[in-house]
């Protein structure tokens, strides 16, 4: 697949077929993705790939945490979005809820949708990206960003869909319990992976982008 086509084809997939993803395929994706750039080639990423019973345990553990009212305490917490960023977040939610037929006031269905994220959107596999706590946080995040996108692009080559998601690792204690990732590592993000269910309404989402002129400043051009 041509690189431009891959970039334009990739989208977040939030509904998957149950078919398992072969280990060799996942291995090939990581093999390609580790060619992503990193700060001074430090390759700060650590990759944990979870499927089967281990992933089922994490999905269940996450839902139990939610049901018990335990507040998430991710290894990489973030502040709430404000202003235009909040607006874009709301726009995305409106698009998803419209496709899924979830009414704004339907708290139950909204909660169900939230749970879906904590279940890795029912994907058969998840890639957990973590890094050593001794590392500088901001540069490491940059490295994890480059490998994340590269994983998502490489996955397309195998007909796989992905969704980079913070939700799956909001309870790092659950993920660590069932993967053996030690406390000395910071779990940064995860990526749900599987064969897309194209009949799933949210997969029809066409997310928006700002035009070039609104994100670009030209200097030294006529
Ligand atoms: C760092 C990061 C965290 C994300 N976390 C979530 C998440 O928790 N749940 C979710 O549904 N999507 C999540 N996404 C996916 C974004 O919502 C998605 O990339 C964005 O809406 C653009 O849509 P696209 O990926 O289809 O182009 C995340 C993406 C990134 C880069």
């Amino acid at each position: 697949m041509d690189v431009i086509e891959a970039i334009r084809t990739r989208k977040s997939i939030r509904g998957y077929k149950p078919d398992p993803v072969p280990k060799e395929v996942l291995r090939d994706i990581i093999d390609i993705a580790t060619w992503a750039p990193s700060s001074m080639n430090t390759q700060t990423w650590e990759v944990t790939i979870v499927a089967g019973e281990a992933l089922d345990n994490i999905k269940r553990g996450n839902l139990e945490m939610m049901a018990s009212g335990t507040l998430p305490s991710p290894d990489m917490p973030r502040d709430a979005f404000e202003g235009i960023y909040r607006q874009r977040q709301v726009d995305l939610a409106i698009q998803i809820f419209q496709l899924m037929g979830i009414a704004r006031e339907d708290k139950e269905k909204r909660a169900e949708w939230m749970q879906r994220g904590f279940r890795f959107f029912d994907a058969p596999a998840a890639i957990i990206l973590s890094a050593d706590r001794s590392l500088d946080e901001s540069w490491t995040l940059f490295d994890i960003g480059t490998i994340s996108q590269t994983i998502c692009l490489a996955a397309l080559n195998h007909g796989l869909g992905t969704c980079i998601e913070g939700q799956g690792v909001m309870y790092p204690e659950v993920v660590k319990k069932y993967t053996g990732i030690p406390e000395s590592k910071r779990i940064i993000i995860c990526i749900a992976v599987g064969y897309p269910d194209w009949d799933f309404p949210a997969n029809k989402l066409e997310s928006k982008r700002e035009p070039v002129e609104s994100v670009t400043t030209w200097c030294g051009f006529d």
Side-chain angles (χ1 to χ4, degrees), residues 10-12 14 92 121 163-167 189 207 209:
R10 186 214 58 81
K11 65 189 319 205
S12 292
R14 298 182 176 90
L92 173 69
F121 306 103
C163 186
I164 300 175
E165 58 152 336
Q167 283 171 299
I189 201 81
S207 62
R209 293 297 188 274

Side-chain angles (χ1 to χ4, degrees), residues 29-70:
I29 290 169
I30 302 304
D31 189 29
I32 298 296
T34 52
W35 289 95
S38 62
S39 167
M40 286 165 275
N41 201 22
T42 45
Q43 304 167 64
T44 53
W45 43 67
E46 294 188 27
V47 183
T48 306
I49 309 185
V50 197
E53 199 182 332
L55 185 58
D56 288 343
N57 285 335
I58 297 173
K59 290 175 182 175
R60 201 191 53 248
N62 280 349
L63 295 187
E64 282 170 4
M65 291 293 250
M66 280 182 91
S68 69
T70 308

Side-chain angles (χ1 to χ4, degrees), residues 28-198:
D28 182 65
I29 290 169
I30 302 304
D31 189 29
I32 298 296
T34 52
W35 289 95
S38 62
S39 167
M40 286 165 275
N41 201 22
T42 45
Q43 304 167 64
T44 53
W45 43 67
E46 294 188 27
V47 183
T48 306
I49 309 185
V50 197
E53 199 182 332
L55 185 58
D56 288 343
N57 285 335
I58 297 173
K59 290 175 182 175
R60 201 191 53 248
N62 280 349
L63 295 187
E64 282 170 4
M65 291 293 250
M66 280 182 91
S68 69
T70 308
L71 287 179
S73 70
D75 284 349
M76 290 305 307
R78 65 163 173 80
D79 294 334
F81 293 117
E82 290 178 2
I84 180 66
Y85 309 109
R86 171 71 184 152
Q87 189 53 52
R88 289 181 192 146
Q89 182 185 22
V90 170
D91 288 348
L92 173 69
I94 290 172
Q95 274 186 293
I96 291 180
F97 289 159
Q98 260 170 8
L99 285 165
M100 294 301 300
I102 301 173
R104 197 183 164 79
E105 59 284 356
D106 193 337
K107 284 196 178 142
E108 202 174 312
K109 282 205 171 149
R110 286 173 69 138
E112 266 172 37
W113 178 258
M114 174 87 89
Q115 286 173 5
R116 207 179 161 73
F118 283 79
R119 302 201 303 263
F120 302 81
F121 306 103
D122 296 335
I127 298 171
I128 316 285
L129 294 167
S130 51
D132 199 85
R133 280 190 193 276
S134 65
L135 289 159
D136 173 83
E137 200 174 293
S138 51
W139 286 93
T140 302
L141 281 185
F142 202 105
D143 300 343
I144 299 284
T146 71
I147 197 171
S148 297
Q149 164 80 339
T150 314
I151 288 171
C152 295
L153 296 178
L156 292 174
N157 212 30
H158 295 275
L160 288 162
T162 52
C163 186
I164 300 175
E165 58 152 336
Q167 283 171 299
V169 293
M170 288 257 183
Y171 295 108
E173 60 273 47
V174 172
V175 179
K176 285 175 180 169
K177 178 174 174 188
Y178 293 111
T179 57
I181 296 174
E183 203 37 55
S184 58
K185 309 291 171 187
R186 200 182 266 132
I187 297 183
I188 314 259
I189 201 81
C190 67
I191 306 177
V193 193
Y195 298 97
D197 173 0
W198 291 114

